[in-house]
Amino acid sequence: MDYIIGIDVGTTSTKALLYDTDGHIYAKANKGYPLYQETPDMAEEDPDEIFNATVSALQEVTAKAKDGKVIAISWSAQQHSLIALDKNFKPLTRSLTWADNRSGKYAAEYKENGRGFEMYQRTGLPIHPMGPFYKLLYFKNEQPAIFKQTAYWVGIKEYIIWKYTGVLKEEVSMAAATGLLNMKTAKWDDDALSEVGVKREQLPELVDTTDKFQGIKSEYAKVIGLDKDVYFVMGATDGALSTIGVGAIQTGVLAINIGTSAAVRTFVDKPRVDPKARLYCYPIMKGKYLIGGPINNGGIVFNWAHDSLFGGEQEAAKLLHMDSYDMLSQIAATVPAGSDGLIFHPYLGGERAPLWDANARGSFFGLNRKHTRAHMIRAVLEGIMYNLYSVTLALKEVTGEPKAILAAGGFARSTLWTQMMADIFENDIVIPESYESGSLAAMFLAKMALGMEDNLEDIKKYMGKETTYQPNEKVFARYRRLIPIYLRLSRDLSKEYQSIADYQREFTDDDQSN
């Protein structure tokens, strides 16, 4: 039997799934690694720790392919990472993730002088420190020694594939997320390169998402248990593959994913930019451009509420042999829609879409003596949904009314949260049976690369049954009153985000001065 591995290099862990060529899952592995946040706005990872995690994950799933062999490994990875390599391909830095905000002042300057919008129109990258374009300006101006010593600039996926094979390539969807790729030509943009002071020869060779090649180094083939002729398939970004993996292939079909972070995305057939620069637009493959908004504050905000507000309930859940997150959902379900007028802004880690403000901060609004922790946990869940809905409003302005909304991610396992989405969006929400949308799409791209599939739409036959959540009209009036308040508050509070963020940077927990 032949197998294909879909592997997703995420922000906090790497996940590998072993599929047969009919799309059945035979094994899963998930290996974590730390995020280094040693100074304000830093968010780095060690590229070799991530590489080792991929080796471990591949070992674990390959061991389950006992009656056949793995014929291909197809790659998904986090967007917007940046690593400096010397002439021997040795890392000079750790991997700066999308969450690293140290280039914030350069993004702010480019937004203010209008140059950022000009670059956005060329590359589709929003004006935000997540982008490698702005990270490069940070290195150029604040780390000049490293900048001058750097022979190659790469992302985490390119580094990992190079380490396995000695081949330095970058597929177009990952390149698009750098802010250095012209979205109309799908080639490196000379204007962007000139702006940051990088030469073409310092960047990987550009290839298609279905590009494949052989040549895994014998040491890794032996350690993992792979044949030396296994194919490496370049794959795509996690955002693109998550969208493909829920079946949102056609223009106008929205894909919503909530994991640690979240996103709202759709495909269009030609480049489109938002006049307000709230959305990215990245070429993925011929005739397919991904437009959407990434959100920092997805499930990680639910994690914060779980850990910070409900410690006692975690112990109770253990005694009852319940999942503590399920218990919190049950508690939230005791509160009516709208949380009796309690609104939560979920910007605990700054925010990308729709605000594009690294200084954004979270808040409860409307709190009164009648509100309980049950109200607070429901307000947290609703606040995450309001934020997603605001991105959807921006998408509607650019692409029109959605034909359908498909959703995936860990949140889809919660009936309460999924129903909440249907009620707030006033739209049917369709959940595919397969939760592993990104890995599934990576597997499918491998089949396309190997000539086993030729139509992207055919991924739907691997997705299993669908569950549809229909909106409850009885709660429309509540959410229709609250959402405009939420949006107005976002605009009003934005005037003070910089001030409170500056205060938090200056007065840390260990500063006990009066």
Side-chain angles (χ1 to χ4, degrees), residues 2-23:
D2 288 340
Y3 296 94
I4 295 171
I5 296 175
I7 186 165
D8 179 22
V9 181
T11 307
T12 56
S13 67
T14 285
K15 182 184 299 181
L17 277 80
L18 180 72
Y19 294 89
D20 68 13
T21 53
D22 291 324

Side-chain angles (χ1 to χ4, degrees), residues 389-401:
Y389 181 71
S390 66
V391 177
T392 303
L393 292 177
L395 260 178
K396 285 182 181 180
E397 291 179 24
V398 178
T399 64
E401 287 291 329

